[in-house]
Amino acid sequence: MNFDLSDEQKMLQESARSCLAKEFPVTTTRKAAESLTGYPEELWKKMADLGWLGLALPESYGGLGLGFVDLAVVLEEMGRELTPGPFFSTVVLAGLTLADAGSAEQKKLWLPRIASGGAKGTFAWVERSGEWDGGALVTAARRAGGKYVLNGTKYFVTYAHVADFILCLARTGKALTVFLVDAKAPGVKVEPMAIMDSSRRVSKVEFRNVAVGPRDVVGKPGAGAPIAEGVLSRACVAMAAEMAGGAQRVLEMSIEYAKARVQFGKPIGSYQAIKHKCSNMILEVESARSAAYYSAWANQEGSPDVVEVSSIAKAYASEAYRKVTGEAIQLHGGIGFTWEHPLHLYFRRAKFSELMFGDPAFHRERMLRAVEKSAA
Amino acid sequence: MDFKDTPEEAKFRAEIREWLRKNAPKGKRPGGAWTGSLIGEDSLKFHKDWQKKLYEGGWAAVAWPKEYGGRGASLMEQVIFYEEMARACAPSVVNVIGIALVGPVLIGHGTEEQKQRFLKPILSGDMIWSQGFSEPNAGSDLASLSTRAVLEGDHFVVNGQKVWTSFGTIADWILLLVRTDPSAPKHRGISCLLVDLHSPGVTIRPLVQMTGDAEFSEVFFDNVRVPQQNLVGALNDGWSIAIATLMHERGGVAVAIQVQIEQVLSSLFDLARRTGKNGRSAMEDPRIRQELARCYAEVQIARWNGYRSLTKIVKDGMPGPEGSFGKVFWTELNQRMQELALNLSGVFGLVPSGDPLTVDSGRWVYGYLRSRGNTIEGGTSEIQRNIVAERVLGLPKG
């Protein structure tokens, strides 16, 4: 048993940290939020150059063939600086799903382009009901001759406004099927949505009589449910890693402030009320990190407890991140409540991450069902 | 990163699993045995017999070096040992202070004569040990202890009082911290003695705790004579031994604790499965499901934190930040699990052991009360949080 990063992974961590802190710190996230796409183009180019986009994609399709743990390392660092952009959508939601369940043709067409930075993808899941349970979905693909006609509206589709293709989870009769849809196809309408987290872009995507062929089915028709489970588990782990990184950064800011800020003649960090707050924060941050990495490993190895541990990571890290950012604002006092201080950006991101892909209560239920299933 | 056993670890696991399959006690156990409580003659004998069996099989102290009757097990092998003990529902070790604390202290700091005399009976369970650290006025501030030992000829004469002494009523010996130089700064005037509790002048008074049991004792020393050769380490160097002991306590005990909270979790789920709530099984009540899931998740996270900590200790000799809050994490989690169990049983959760109406032989009533002590003993949660803030996060002392 060994629960530590390898030397190579530690090097990756260091280089990612210094690159992001130096070239794309949280201040650039702020500026990018006002831009049209929501992220600087040179960031995307840099990620391609550093090999991050193909890090966890198979070597046969232009990737580096590394594992989910390596990916988690990079995601954790992005979480520290609230790195904006379609990395999560393109790599975690689209790329890994195609690598996992796509046809040879789909992989050949898209994976090398993802790895090189030449294509972006995303995954369209939740609808107006706001429910992440597959049973609640009404977007449907009707068979018409040898083709399908897709109709429905998806919400909170991350970075759909810059995507080249969208993986869409839709109903085919009673079952679910995942379709690969060209974002420019007739009948696809992408409309950016306003959300309280400005470091992430999401869109409403309308599919109106969109024609998709049998070659655009990901996996087999009707096999969408297990594919979606995989997407959800990977999304959980990726977000948990990002959240652990963000929470760690916020903890560091808080400790620095608690040492520097003097009131009643002493640094506020010498008072037990502050010490105990900080102590609770590190407990939550480190525990979130343990859960993120254990579940990354479980995904990488295809361990039988993937669903269970991914949901634990998502549920725990979400609550930890929300609490830690909230406590950090409290600890910073007035300055923490200003627009100028970056803390509210983390506080906003924490809530986004908590609610996207299922809230903690949803994941506790998902986890418990997986536990009951494996015990039966 | 890899959570699978190495070939050596797998071999060790197979060996202990096979031994436990053949030797772990089966069938009904005496009352109180589910908590590892040694109160009552039956329970004590049951646990002593088990200890003897472990000793004969060579499993009494896997962490000790081979030359002293252990197996020289690595930390990972110790984890495997505890995991397999839990898997086989094997009883806990009776002489836990002797094996986890006193043995390692003697192996590290004891004289050859002390090792020869004490190590074997510690292993076999023939000599039960207790730990005399806390005093009425030295709790969180342990170094302010005032039990005095004065060297007169070749004997120390000990006067004073210890409190919260675990196993005091059944112990034969005590590892005692005493003040030997009152004029020195408080950390520099402390020594460590091995004291026979059957000596004249020793009075042991059971300390009844809020569960109604007397798991701890008050121990009084009135001119107790202790031979000079029972000094461990150098005179006035007892504080470093105390710290080493507390390190053993936090390292070795942490692994055993994980096994215990996993057992509590599993019993909690069993209870939920057979408990009705609002006209259906408690397992179908969405609110209870949320609470159970939360406990389940946190028990797993405690294990993963433990794995990280162990990896770090194996590599660097010291745990990382995740090792520093383990006690706060498990004690507070355990309190929530105990409370949930009591709530699941509703009013019948109030019926204590010994009554036919009690739930699960009264373990939850006991656990609910007992768990309040966990956040106090061995360093209160407040002290633990101060330590994390000051030593891990580097915040200034108040």
Side-chain angles (χ1 to χ4, degrees), chain A residues 284-340:
Chain A
E284 305 220 329
V285 172
E286 293 294 343
S287 299
R289 179 173 292 126
S290 297
Y293 278 99
Y294 184 86
S295 57
W297 178 84
N299 271 274
Q300 175 177 298
E301 302 293 316
S303 166
D305 59 356
V306 163
V307 169
E308 172 192 326
V309 301
S310 302
S311 278
I312 290 176
K314 173 68 161 66
Y316 188 89
S318 299
E319 293 188 339
Y321 198 13
R322 188 226 305 138
K323 282 188 265 180
V324 166
T325 50
E327 288 291 55
I329 291 173
Q330 180 68 23
L331 186 147
H332 277 74
I335 189 79
F337 186 63
T338 61
W339 181 260
E340 188 192 351

Side-chain angles (χ1 to χ4, degrees), chain B residues 170-186:
Chain B
I170 60 164
D172 305 294
W173 283 74
I174 189 166
L175 182 73
L176 195 68
L177 287 183
V178 290
R179 185 154 305 282
T180 37
D181 184 355
S183 60
K186 65 179 181 178

Side-chain angles (χ1 to χ4, degrees), chain A residues 29-200:
Chain A
T29 301
R30 215 167 184 150
K31 255 183 247 143
E34 290 152 19
S35 73
L36 199 62
T37 56
Y39 67 96
E41 199 49 44
E42 55 278 21
L43 170 68
W44 193 248
K45 198 177 165 307
K46 186 89 192 183
M47 287 180 176
D49 290 347
L50 290 170
W52 292 357
L53 298 175
L55 197 72
L57 296 177
E59 284 176 283
S60 46
Y61 295 105
L64 295 178
L66 298 177
F68 210 110
V69 174
D70 303 85
L71 191 60
V73 167
V74 173
L75 285 160
E76 185 187 348
E77 295 311 315
M78 291 183 188
R80 281 179 70 88
E81 303 295 342
L82 299 179
T83 306
F87 183 89
F88 171 76
S89 320
T90 300
V91 172
V92 179
L93 298 182
L96 292 180
T97 305
L98 289 182
D100 179 46
S103 66
E105 190 193 342
Q106 288 162 349
K107 289 186 205 179
K108 216 169 126 193
L109 183 61
W110 292 107
L111 296 187
R113 290 169 66 194
I114 289 177
S116 68
K120 302 179 187 82
T122 188
F123 197 100
W125 187 309
V126 78
E127 299 176 358
R128 189 67 185 86
S129 69
E131 302 252 25
W132 294 90
D133 189 277
L137 302 181
V138 295
T139 293
R142 184 168 41 81
R143 260 186 187 283
K147 293 201 162 206
Y148 293 90
V149 179
L150 189 59
N151 274 292
T153 306
K154 297 284 186 176
Y155 290 81
F156 300 92
V157 187
T158 50
Y159 291 88
H161 66 302
V162 293
D164 299 290
F165 69 94
I166 300 168
L167 301 180
C168 179
L169 182 60
R171 190 155 292 290
T172 44
K174 277 188 182 160
L176 295 171
T177 302
V178 176
F179 293 96
L180 193 161
V181 185
D182 187 329
K184 304 282 180 301
V188 178
K189 192 175 149 204
V190 177
E191 208 177 301
M193 294 172 66
I195 51 167
M196 72 180 235
D197 175 15
S198 56
S199 68
R200 285 283 202 219

Side-chain angles (χ1 to χ4, degrees), chain B residues 17-54:
Chain B
R17 188 175 289 185
E18 177 59 15
W19 187 85
L20 284 168
R21 194 181 61 76
K22 284 189 189 138
N23 294 286
K26 293 166 187 78
K28 205 170 152 30
R29 295 178 187 182
W34 36 258
T35 59
S37 164
L38 304 175
I39 296 152
E41 297 252 319
D42 292 355
S43 187
L44 184 59
K45 182 174 181 314
F46 174 80
H47 282 91
K48 277 193 162 182
D49 289 348
W50 171 236
Q51 172 94 15
K52 190 126 297 168
K53 224 171 193 181
L54 283 167

